[in-house]
Amino acid sequence: DAQQDYEKMTQDASAKRTADSKSLTEKGNAKATAEENLQAESEKKSGTTKELMATLEYIQSLHGECDWLIQNYAARKEARAGEMESLTQAKAVLNGADFALVQRRSSHRAGFLRPQA
């Protein structure tokens, strides 16, 4: 009776060792796969982070350009209006108009092809 119990216990222990060994191998394989996936995702994250930094830098440069355009809008608008007026007058002169006695607006600064006030 004790001999049978001993043999049964050793068989159970042997089966448990086999199951534990198989489980350990499976867990080792799962760990290796997880580490490979971690490495791949870490590299992917690094690339994505670099791309994000480049995008943020580009957005910042666009923001600076927009700020400059907004700050200088009035001066650019005035310059464009002056250019349009000058081109209109130049066109009129080429068509034969005489602007010798015409008074100019004094709000514009003296510039190319304009007599100083």
Side-chain angles (χ1 to χ4, degrees), residues 32-60:
T33 302
E35 287 175 348
E36 288 176 11
N37 291 340
L38 175 64
Q39 181 66 28
E41 292 299 321
S42 294
E43 290 172 3
K44 183 178 175 183
K45 180 185 177 243
S46 176
T48 303
T49 302
K50 288 178 184 177
E51 184 179 344
L52 174 63
M53 294 302 287
T55 302
L56 290 175
E57 187 176 315
Y58 178 69
I59 289 171
Q60 184 64 31

mmCIF file of all heavy atoms in Angstrom, residues 32-60:
data_model
loop_
_atom_site.group_PDB
_atom_site.id
_atom_site.type_symbol
_atom_site.label_atom_id
_atom_site.label_comp_id
_atom_site.label_asym_id
_atom_site.label_seq_id
_atom_site.Cartn_x
_atom_site.Cartn_y
_atom_site.Cartn_z
ATOM 1 N N ALA A 32 10.291 36.200 -25.206
ATOM 2 C CA ALA A 32 11.154 36.592 -26.327
ATOM 3 C C ALA A 32 10.340 37.327 -27.397
ATOM 4 O O ALA A 32 10.776 38.354 -27.933
ATOM 5 C CB ALA A 32 11.829 35.363 -26.930
ATOM 6 N N THR A 33 9.154 36.818 -27.693
ATOM 7 C CA THR A 33 8.277 37.477 -28.672
ATOM 8 C C THR A 33 7.878 38.874 -28.177
ATOM 9 O O THR A 33 7.891 39.835 -28.950
ATOM 10 C CB THR A 33 7.020 36.620 -28.921
ATOM 11 O OG1 THR A 33 7.414 35.331 -29.379
ATOM 12 C CG2 THR A 33 6.110 37.265 -29.952
ATOM 13 N N ALA A 34 7.543 38.972 -26.902
ATOM 14 C CA ALA A 34 7.162 40.270 -26.339
ATOM 15 C C ALA A 34 8.321 41.256 -26.391
ATOM 16 O O ALA A 34 8.124 42.449 -26.680
ATOM 17 C CB ALA A 34 6.671 40.093 -24.902
ATOM 18 N N GLU A 35 9.541 40.786 -26.125
ATOM 19 C CA GLU A 35 10.715 41.671 -26.191
ATOM 20 C C GLU A 35 10.983 42.139 -27.622
ATOM 21 O O GLU A 35 11.334 43.289 -27.846
ATOM 22 C CB GLU A 35 11.934 40.969 -25.603
ATOM 23 C CG GLU A 35 11.889 40.860 -24.096
ATOM 24 C CD GLU A 35 13.047 40.067 -23.508
ATOM 25 O OE1 GLU A 35 13.781 39.409 -24.281
ATOM 26 O OE2 GLU A 35 13.211 40.109 -22.285
ATOM 27 N N GLU A 36 10.786 41.246 -28.595
ATOM 28 C CA GLU A 36 10.943 41.645 -30.000
ATOM 29 C C GLU A 36 9.913 42.702 -30.375
ATOM 30 O O GLU A 36 10.232 43.693 -31.041
ATOM 31 C CB GLU A 36 10.794 40.427 -30.919
ATOM 32 C CG GLU A 36 11.954 39.471 -30.882
ATOM 33 C CD GLU A 36 11.702 38.227 -31.736
ATOM 34 O OE1 GLU A 36 10.724 38.211 -32.523
ATOM 35 O OE2 GLU A 36 12.490 37.283 -31.613
ATOM 36 N N ASN A 37 8.670 42.477 -29.959
ATOM 37 C CA ASN A 37 7.612 43.455 -30.233
ATOM 38 C C ASN A 37 7.911 44.788 -29.559
ATOM 39 O O ASN A 37 7.676 45.849 -30.142
ATOM 40 C CB ASN A 37 6.254 42.932 -29.778
ATOM 41 C CG ASN A 37 5.754 41.778 -30.628
ATOM 42 O OD1 ASN A 37 6.208 41.589 -31.747
ATOM 43 N ND2 ASN A 37 4.842 40.991 -30.082
ATOM 44 N N LEU A 38 8.422 44.734 -28.347
ATOM 45 C CA LEU A 38 8.778 45.957 -27.624
ATOM 46 C C LEU A 38 9.861 46.728 -28.370
ATOM 47 O O LEU A 38 9.770 47.950 -28.524
ATOM 48 C CB LEU A 38 9.243 45.632 -26.204
ATOM 49 C CG LEU A 38 9.751 46.813 -25.371
ATOM 50 C CD1 LEU A 38 8.637 47.815 -25.136
ATOM 51 C CD2 LEU A 38 10.337 46.328 -24.059
ATOM 52 N N GLN A 39 10.860 46.026 -28.848
ATOM 53 C CA GLN A 39 11.950 46.662 -29.591
ATOM 54 C C GLN A 39 11.419 47.318 -30.865
ATOM 55 O O GLN A 39 11.762 48.453 -31.184
ATOM 56 C CB GLN A 39 13.038 45.637 -29.930
ATOM 57 C CG GLN A 39 14.219 46.221 -30.672
ATOM 58 C CD GLN A 39 15.016 47.201 -29.840
ATOM 59 O OE1 GLN A 39 15.057 47.115 -28.627
ATOM 60 N NE2 GLN A 39 15.638 48.158 -30.503
ATOM 61 N N ALA A 40 10.565 46.598 -31.588
ATOM 62 C CA ALA A 40 10.004 47.138 -32.833
ATOM 63 C C ALA A 40 9.150 48.371 -32.546
ATOM 64 O O ALA A 40 9.242 49.384 -33.256
ATOM 65 C CB ALA A 40 9.173 46.065 -33.537
ATOM 66 N N GLU A 41 8.338 48.308 -31.513
ATOM 67 C CA GLU A 41 7.480 49.446 -31.173
ATOM 68 C C GLU A 41 8.296 50.632 -30.658
ATOM 69 O O GLU A 41 7.949 51.783 -30.911
ATOM 70 C CB GLU A 41 6.415 49.039 -30.143
ATOM 71 C CG GLU A 41 5.373 48.075 -30.680
ATOM 72 C CD GLU A 41 4.572 48.637 -31.843
ATOM 73 O OE1 GLU A 41 4.238 49.840 -31.825
ATOM 74 O OE2 GLU A 41 4.286 47.880 -32.777
ATOM 75 N N SER A 42 9.386 50.346 -29.951
ATOM 76 C CA SER A 42 10.260 51.430 -29.484
ATOM 77 C C SER A 42 10.887 52.165 -30.662
ATOM 78 O O SER A 42 10.967 53.395 -30.671
ATOM 79 C CB SER A 42 11.356 50.885 -28.577
ATOM 80 O OG SER A 42 10.808 50.368 -27.392
ATOM 81 N N GLU A 43 11.333 51.411 -31.668
ATOM 82 C CA GLU A 43 11.906 52.023 -32.865
ATOM 83 C C GLU A 43 10.846 52.823 -33.626
ATOM 84 O O GLU A 43 11.105 53.921 -34.104
ATOM 85 C CB GLU A 43 12.513 50.954 -33.763
ATOM 86 C CG GLU A 43 13.762 50.325 -33.180
ATOM 87 C CD GLU A 43 14.262 49.128 -33.979
ATOM 88 O OE1 GLU A 43 13.659 48.811 -35.032
ATOM 89 O OE2 GLU A 43 15.246 48.514 -33.543
ATOM 90 N N LYS A 44 9.648 52.272 -33.698
ATOM 91 C CA LYS A 44 8.547 52.966 -34.368
ATOM 92 C C LYS A 44 8.217 54.266 -33.636
ATOM 93 O O LYS A 44 7.998 55.297 -34.261
ATOM 94 C CB LYS A 44 7.323 52.048 -34.409
ATOM 95 C CG LYS A 44 6.137 52.614 -35.130
ATOM 96 C CD LYS A 44 5.002 51.592 -35.142
ATOM 97 C CE LYS A 44 3.745 52.169 -35.753
ATOM 98 N NZ LYS A 44 2.635 51.216 -35.708
ATOM 99 N N LYS A 45 8.194 54.205 -32.319
ATOM 100 C CA LYS A 45 7.913 55.397 -31.520
ATOM 101 C C LYS A 45 8.988 56.450 -31.735
ATOM 102 O O LYS A 45 8.700 57.646 -31.846
ATOM 103 C CB LYS A 45 7.828 55.044 -30.038
ATOM 104 C CG LYS A 45 7.539 56.251 -29.153
ATOM 105 C CD LYS A 45 7.575 55.897 -27.684
ATOM 106 C CE LYS A 45 7.345 57.143 -26.868
ATOM 107 N NZ LYS A 45 8.436 57.501 -26.035
ATOM 108 N N SER A 46 10.241 56.031 -31.792
ATOM 109 C CA SER A 46 11.343 56.963 -32.010
ATOM 110 C C SER A 46 11.178 57.685 -33.342
ATOM 111 O O SER A 46 11.332 58.906 -33.426
ATOM 112 C CB SER A 46 12.669 56.209 -31.974
ATOM 113 O OG SER A 46 13.738 57.066 -32.278
ATOM 114 N N GLY A 47 10.849 56.944 -34.390
ATOM 115 C CA GLY A 47 10.639 57.548 -35.704
ATOM 116 C C GLY A 47 9.455 58.502 -35.699
ATOM 117 O O GLY A 47 9.511 59.600 -36.267
ATOM 118 N N THR A 48 8.387 58.100 -35.048
ATOM 119 C CA THR A 48 7.194 58.941 -34.973
ATOM 120 C C THR A 48 7.479 60.213 -34.183
ATOM 121 O O THR A 48 7.012 61.296 -34.547
ATOM 122 C CB THR A 48 6.036 58.156 -34.322
ATOM 123 O OG1 THR A 48 5.809 56.966 -35.072
ATOM 124 C CG2 THR A 48 4.762 58.976 -34.292
ATOM 125 N N THR A 49 8.268 60.095 -33.129
ATOM 126 C CA THR A 49 8.621 61.261 -32.323
ATOM 127 C C THR A 49 9.442 62.249 -33.141
ATOM 128 O O THR A 49 9.213 63.465 -33.086
ATOM 129 C CB THR A 49 9.394 60.836 -31.062
ATOM 130 O OG1 THR A 49 8.588 59.930 -30.306
ATOM 131 C CG2 THR A 49 9.768 62.020 -30.208
ATOM 132 N N LYS A 50 10.388 61.744 -33.929
ATOM 133 C CA LYS A 50 11.190 62.627 -34.788
ATOM 134 C C LYS A 50 10.307 63.325 -35.806
ATOM 135 O O LYS A 50 10.468 64.519 -36.067
ATOM 136 C CB LYS A 50 12.285 61.823 -35.493
ATOM 137 C CG LYS A 50 13.392 61.379 -34.572
ATOM 138 C CD LYS A 50 14.423 60.556 -35.306
ATOM 139 C CE LYS A 50 15.481 60.038 -34.342
ATOM 140 N NZ LYS A 50 16.459 59.182 -35.025
ATOM 141 N N GLU A 51 9.367 62.602 -36.386
ATOM 142 C CA GLU A 51 8.443 63.194 -37.358
ATOM 143 C C GLU A 51 7.578 64.262 -36.692
ATOM 144 O O GLU A 51 7.344 65.331 -37.264
ATOM 145 C CB GLU A 51 7.564 62.098 -37.960
ATOM 146 C CG GLU A 51 6.634 62.595 -39.040
ATOM 147 C CD GLU A 51 5.791 61.475 -39.640
ATOM 148 O OE1 GLU A 51 6.113 60.296 -39.442
ATOM 149 O OE2 GLU A 51 4.805 61.805 -40.306
ATOM 150 N N LEU A 52 7.122 63.984 -35.486
ATOM 151 C CA LEU A 52 6.320 64.955 -34.746
ATOM 152 C C LEU A 52 7.115 66.216 -34.467
ATOM 153 O O LEU A 52 6.606 67.335 -34.631
ATOM 154 C CB LEU A 52 5.823 64.346 -33.432
ATOM 155 C CG LEU A 52 5.082 65.293 -32.489
ATOM 156 C CD1 LEU A 52 3.798 65.799 -33.127
ATOM 157 C CD2 LEU A 52 4.795 64.604 -31.168
ATOM 158 N N MET A 53 8.368 66.067 -34.063
ATOM 159 C CA MET A 53 9.208 67.236 -33.776
ATOM 160 C C MET A 53 9.402 68.079 -35.036
ATOM 161 O O MET A 53 9.344 69.306 -34.992
ATOM 162 C CB MET A 53 10.556 66.798 -33.212
ATOM 163 C CG MET A 53 10.466 66.140 -31.840
ATOM 164 S SD MET A 53 9.717 67.193 -30.594
ATOM 165 C CE MET A 53 11.038 68.347 -30.361
ATOM 166 N N ALA A 54 9.616 67.423 -36.181
ATOM 167 C CA ALA A 54 9.777 68.154 -37.445
ATOM 168 C C ALA A 54 8.488 68.884 -37.808
ATOM 169 O O ALA A 54 8.523 70.041 -38.252
ATOM 170 C CB ALA A 54 10.181 67.190 -38.558
ATOM 171 N N THR A 55 7.350 68.242 -37.589
ATOM 172 C CA THR A 55 6.059 68.873 -37.881
ATOM 173 C C THR A 55 5.828 70.074 -36.977
ATOM 174 O O THR A 55 5.394 71.135 -37.444
ATOM 175 C CB THR A 55 4.918 67.852 -37.713
ATOM 176 O OG1 THR A 55 5.151 66.741 -38.581
ATOM 177 C CG2 THR A 55 3.575 68.472 -38.040
ATOM 178 N N LEU A 56 6.130 69.932 -35.706
ATOM 179 C CA LEU A 56 5.961 71.050 -34.770
ATOM 180 C C LEU A 56 6.878 72.212 -35.123
ATOM 181 O O LEU A 56 6.488 73.381 -35.024
ATOM 182 C CB LEU A 56 6.211 70.582 -33.332
ATOM 183 C CG LEU A 56 5.160 69.647 -32.751
ATOM 184 C CD1 LEU A 56 5.601 69.162 -31.369
ATOM 185 C CD2 LEU A 56 3.803 70.307 -32.686
ATOM 186 N N GLU A 57 8.096 71.907 -35.553
ATOM 187 C CA GLU A 57 9.031 72.951 -35.964
ATOM 188 C C GLU A 57 8.505 73.683 -37.199
ATOM 189 O O GLU A 57 8.571 74.913 -37.273
ATOM 190 C CB GLU A 57 10.395 72.321 -36.264
ATOM 191 C CG GLU A 57 11.489 73.315 -36.527
ATOM 192 C CD GLU A 57 12.831 72.625 -36.720
ATOM 193 O OE1 GLU A 57 13.162 71.718 -35.923
ATOM 194 O OE2 GLU A 57 13.533 72.998 -37.677
ATOM 195 N N TYR A 58 7.949 72.937 -38.144
ATOM 196 C CA TYR A 58 7.379 73.543 -39.350
ATOM 197 C C TYR A 58 6.180 74.427 -38.991
ATOM 198 O O TYR A 58 6.039 75.539 -39.504
ATOM 199 C CB TYR A 58 6.960 72.452 -40.333
ATOM 200 C CG TYR A 58 6.316 72.977 -41.587
ATOM 201 C CD1 TYR A 58 7.054 73.692 -42.524
ATOM 202 C CD2 TYR A 58 4.964 72.771 -41.831
ATOM 203 C CE1 TYR A 58 6.471 74.178 -43.671
ATOM 204 C CE2 TYR A 58 4.371 73.263 -42.977
ATOM 205 C CZ TYR A 58 5.123 73.964 -43.893
ATOM 206 O OH TYR A 58 4.538 74.452 -45.024
ATOM 207 N N ILE A 59 5.326 73.940 -38.103
ATOM 208 C CA ILE A 59 4.164 74.731 -37.671
ATOM 209 C C ILE A 59 4.628 76.016 -36.998
ATOM 210 O O ILE A 59 4.056 77.089 -37.214
ATOM 211 C CB ILE A 59 3.265 73.900 -36.728
ATOM 212 C CG1 ILE A 59 2.558 72.817 -37.529
ATOM 213 C CG2 ILE A 59 2.260 74.777 -36.006
ATOM 214 C CD1 ILE A 59 1.809 71.807 -36.682
ATOM 215 N N GLN A 60 5.667 75.924 -36.195
ATOM 216 C CA GLN A 60 6.199 77.117 -35.521
ATOM 217 C C GLN A 60 6.715 78.125 -36.537
ATOM 218 O O GLN A 60 6.501 79.329 -36.388
ATOM 219 C CB GLN A 60 7.306 76.728 -34.546
ATOM 220 C CG GLN A 60 7.843 77.872 -33.732
ATOM 221 C CD GLN A 60 6.782 78.473 -32.814
ATOM 222 O OE1 GLN A 60 5.891 77.794 -32.352
ATOM 223 N NE2 GLN A 60 6.873 79.756 -32.569
#
